Amino acid sequence: MDRRRNPMGFEEEYLDFLNAHLQVRSGERLRRLEEGHSQAEMLFLKQVWWPIFFQFKYLHPEYEVDDFKDGKRYLDFAYIRPGIRICIEVDGYGPHLRNISRWQFSDNLERQNQLVIDGWTVIRFSYDQVNEKPRRCQQIVQQVIGRWLGDELDESSLTIFEKEVIRIAVRKGVAISPKEVEKYLKLSDKTVRKVLSQLVEKRILIPASGIKRVRSYRLADQVKRKV
């Protein structure tokens, strides 16, 4: 059964994902995962991550990194693949934030800056954003990953234009039209149609609408699973 049509798909995959990480951790790393992975993190996975990718490959909850003060800190989620490290934080708005001191506020900013210096891409969401505007959060995640997905899929010797079309498709998250690609890449209709046809032949895109003349295209499911 297609997981996207299976209402139990998320719950089953989520429990497997969490248990897999619990089984390989010990000490403080285990405690942080048991106590730090809360409703906000689960809601992010359910409403933002799962509807995009339908799996949790390369995603690490409560990921330990070295702190700039020679200690340890834990990221809500780390998405790690060769050449890319993305930190995803989901921030609740509670008394501990409302009562934060000026020193703590500055310290939090410095910690984030250090992650960027160390080569991390950092994106942050509030609990309210995840809960009330999940589609906007999905778009941000797609835009960040879409910057490099074309290079990651270079197994079939993709051209520069093909990589750019893939990035457009990932960033948008829904079907793309030849007109959109033409406008974005500033290419002729004939060239765009050729690029799109090549991506269909490589099974990276599939027609989303239209029969004799395709009006829109979307990423093939096997490509989504590579993300």
Side-chain angles (χ1 to χ4, degrees), residues 129-172:
Q129 284 177 304
V130 171
N131 188 41
E132 299 171 8
K133 299 179 179 179
R135 180 57 191 142
R136 178 55 186 149
C137 298
Q138 291 170 19
Q139 290 171 340
I140 291 172
V141 171
Q142 289 170 314
Q143 287 167 357
V144 171
I145 293 180
R147 287 164 46 191
W148 57 271
L149 181 57
D151 293 326
E152 188 70 15
L153 291 173
D154 199 14
E155 301 170 1
S156 54
S157 299
L158 299 174
T159 68
I160 293 175
F161 291 145
E162 287 172 341
K163 292 179 183 179
E164 287 303 318
V165 170
I166 293 171
R167 291 187 178 103
I168 295 169
V170 173
R171 288 173 183 171
K172 189 174 181 186

Side-chain angles (χ1 to χ4, degrees), residues 4-153:
R4 288 169 294 173
R5 298 180 182 275
N6 182 2
M8 293 301 294
F10 169 78
E11 282 75 14
E12 293 170 350
E13 291 284 343
Y14 172 71
L15 289 176
D16 287 346
F17 164 72
L18 204 56
N19 287 333
H21 284 277
L22 287 169
Q23 290 172 8
V24 298
R25 297 194 185 189
S26 60
E28 179 63 12
R29 294 176 66 245
L30 176 61
R31 188 191 71 81
R32 287 297 301 237
L33 182 54
E34 290 175 331
E35 299 180 6
H37 189 79
S38 65
Q39 181 185 358
E41 286 77 22
M42 189 274 286
L43 190 67
F44 169 81
L45 293 178
K46 184 174 185 178
Q47 298 206 158
V48 179
W49 193 269
W50 180 260
I52 304 173
F53 306 121
F54 312 112
Q55 43 89 357
F56 305 114
K57 194 176 180 181
Y58 306 115
L59 198 64
H60 304 266
E62 291 297 321
Y63 186 77
E64 182 183 84
V65 295
D66 292 329
D67 188 80
F68 72 102
K69 293 182 177 179
D70 298 324
K72 301 291 182 182
R73 69 168 300 190
Y74 293 84
L75 314 180
D76 288 344
F77 296 103
Y79 183 75
I80 302 175
R81 299 185 73 164
I84 184 168
R85 295 188 297 176
I86 301 175
C87 163
I88 303 172
E89 295 283 311
V90 184
D91 301 314
Y93 182 72
H96 67 289
L97 285 182
R98 290 195 296 268
N99 299 330
I100 192 170
S101 70
R102 296 171 71 94
W103 177 87
Q104 289 171 315
F105 178 72
S106 297
D107 186 62
N108 286 340
L109 294 180
E110 189 168 0
R111 289 171 185 267
Q112 179 168 315
N113 290 342
Q114 190 60 50
L115 281 173
V116 174
I117 292 170
D118 289 341
W120 288 84
T121 297
V122 180
I123 52 178
R124 306 186 73 109
F125 301 105
S126 70
Y127 178 88
D128 289 342
Q129 284 177 304
V130 171
N131 188 41
E132 299 171 8
K133 299 179 179 179
R135 180 57 191 142
R136 178 55 186 149
C137 298
Q138 291 170 19
Q139 290 171 340
I140 291 172
V141 171
Q142 289 170 314
Q143 287 167 357
V144 171
I145 293 180
R147 287 164 46 191
W148 57 271
L149 181 57
D151 293 326
E152 188 70 15
L153 291 173

